[in-house]
Amino acid sequence: MVFFRSVAVLSKLRSRLAQQSTALGSARWLQTQSASDLDLHSQLKDLIPEQQIYRFSSELSIVRSLTVLQERLKKLKAENGKVQLGNITVDMVIGGMRGMTGLLWETSLLDPDEGIRFRGLSIPECQKLLPAATPGGEPLPEGLLWLLLTGKVPSKEQVDALSKELQSRSKVPDHVYKAINALPATAHAMTQFTTGVMALQVESEFQKAYDKGLSKAKFWEPTYEDSMNLIARLPVVASFIYRSDHEGGNVSAHTAHLVASALSDPYLSFAAALNGLAGPLHGLANQEVLLWIKSVVKECGENITAEQLKDYVWKTLNSGKVVPGYGHGVLRKTDPRYTCQREFALKHLPADPLFQLVSKLYEVVPPILTQLGKVKNPWPNVDAHSGVLLNHFGLSEARYYTVLFGVSRSIGIGSQLVWDRALGLPLERPKSVTMEWLENYCKKAA
Ligand SMILES: CC(C)(COP(=O)(O)OP(=O)(O)OC[C@H]1O[C@@H](n2cnc3c(N)ncnc32)[C@H](O)[C@@H]1OP(=O)(O)O)[C@@H](O)C(=O)NCCC(=O)NCCS
């Protein structure tokens, strides 16, 4: 039986290998999907209890296949649990755990120089490989969701089937609108959005199943239902609000992972993530960038010179503020998400005066931040660009921008939450120490 299964897997693997793009040298075990498997849930069902890990040598011969993912994790822990991943320094404890490896996050990995990779694929590779609505266009978000959940590149048919499925899940109950309407008109769009998510939570499948008593091995299934329902309903909630966004360590993704580690359902976890995203050093930066750019135009006009722009940047810094849209906790180069938006702007809105200002800032800001001597990354991040694009297409309400970031972030967070439960990851609980403890420890270490 095992033999026949293995033969079937090997022949499936060979046919998938044939479909693999040769342009993609870096995709190690990534597979292109055959168009016949259109149901994402059944794909996951196949993957989770019996995840097949395909590894290839440089000659693309199979060196190992068929490993149970949960078993792989247990084996890793049992055999290598005591392997050290680095030293924890006092700087790291005081400095917000920066650079401390402390989180398992299967769906994406951030490289300081290269930027984000989703299941091994960079942004340009995703643009090349994931199905688009029109040939040569930008990839559809459903394709990214499929990739994140399964680790496989979907076909156009699979993406279309997933779009239909999300549509069928997108009905938002009335009480959600009522909860949002109960807030005062002055409530920030992110407050309305989080309220909407919390109102959706009353329908959590995970909570219902957990209350009934569900075995740990099955946790991933209602988590999947909740994540898919949430992803399907968020755009509807976001559009209702309007009638008035890697790797796991960033504030919002880490928050969702932490809260979910207490077996809080995806709604509770995602609402917590949104509260982190609403902070100006994180997701709110896209709002802050547009407001800041508009304040530059208000003070200096659209035809601002490089010298005037430099003065404005220094004025911002000297007043104790950060330059929004520049810098990053991990990246040390221009954010590839910025580059990709810049290429889009060069193609579709090269004459837009605010885009031209964003381009001038790209020349002016990095040397100034470098001159400060303390900024680890003087280059622009994703938020330096997104607002100007949205503004160009008529979405000028900057206070709404982080809501859109939240809608897109649900795809990555929702996928990882399914895998958190599939892998049976435990409650997250880092050790904290006092300043006195650190001082005493350092004295002894000296
Ligand atoms: C993203 C951000 C919070 C990362 O913070 P970080 O990891 O602490 O960054 P660094 O280690 O480079 O910070 C070192 C110093 O440089 C400062 N710095 C970093 N980016 C800066 C910026 N864009 N403008 C001014 N100062 C900046 C920090 O405030 C810090 O100053 P301090 O030591 O006086 O507190 C930071 O770069 C920032 O505030 N950027 C602007 C907001 C933004 O665009 N956020 C979206 C991020 S995707």
Side-chain angles (χ1 to χ4, degrees), residues 98 246 280-283 285-286 289 317 321-330 332 335 337 365 369 372 374-377 381-384 405:
R98 215 59 50 80
H246 54 163
L281 294 187
H282 190 28
N286 58 3
V289 169
L317 291 171
K321 294 181 192 154
V322 293
V323 179
Y326 280 77
H328 199 275
V330 178
R332 294 297 174 253
D335 193 331
R337 297 170 298 174
V365 176
L369 291 183
L372 280 183
K374 62 177 182 179
V375 181
K376 295 198 189 66
N377 174 23
N381 58 55
V382 62
D383 298 315
F405 195 170

Side-chain angles (χ1 to χ4, degrees), residues 12-39:
K12 233 190 217 172
L13 177 60
R14 263 188 224 110
S15 71
R16 278 174 183 161
L17 247 181
Q19 295 168 25
Q20 244 176 345
S21 163
T22 46
L24 191 65
S26 59
R28 295 166 306 280
W29 53 276
L30 205 89
Q31 301 157 50
T32 305
Q33 297 272 276
S34 67
S36 55
D37 318 321
L38 295 185
D39 182 40

Side-chain angles (χ1 to χ4, degrees), residues 396-410:
S396 57
E397 298 82 353
R399 279 160 61 90
Y400 182 75
Y401 289 176
T402 314
V403 172
L404 292 176
F405 195 170
V407 172
S408 60
R409 187 130 284 202
S410 68

Side-chain angles (χ1 to χ4, degrees), residues 350-384:
D352 182 291
L354 292 189
F355 166 60
Q356 289 180 354
L357 186 48
V358 163
S359 298
K360 272 189 200 159
L361 283 167
Y362 196 11
E363 289 162 26
V364 164
V365 176
I368 296 180
L369 291 183
T370 306
Q371 211 180 318
L372 280 183
K374 62 177 182 179
V375 181
K376 295 198 189 66
N377 174 23
W379 301 106
N381 58 55
V382 62
D383 298 315

Side-chain angles (χ1 to χ4, degrees), residues 156-232:
K156 179 70 167 61
E157 290 86 345
Q158 286 167 327
V159 167
D160 290 345
L162 182 54
S163 298
K164 275 201 194 114
E165 185 187 338
L166 289 172
Q167 257 170 34
S168 72
R169 290 173 181 263
S170 65
K171 176 134 181 53
V172 171
D174 268 357
H175 73 263
V176 174
Y177 304 121
K178 285 184 188 145
I180 295 171
N181 279 340
L183 292 168
T186 50
H188 191 279
M190 283 301 280
T191 307
Q192 297 181 46
F193 195 40
T194 315
T195 302
V197 172
M198 286 307 299
L200 283 172
Q201 189 273 341
V202 298
E203 302 208 327
S204 168
E205 295 298 327
F206 182 88
Q207 194 182 45
K208 277 184 230 159
Y210 192 82
D211 288 349
K212 275 192 202 149
L214 185 71
S215 98
K216 195 175 172 184
K218 294 263 177 206
F219 280 176
W220 76 269
E221 297 219 34
T223 304
Y224 171 83
E225 291 304 317
D226 279 357
S227 293
M228 292 291 281
N229 287 339
L230 185 59
I231 290 167

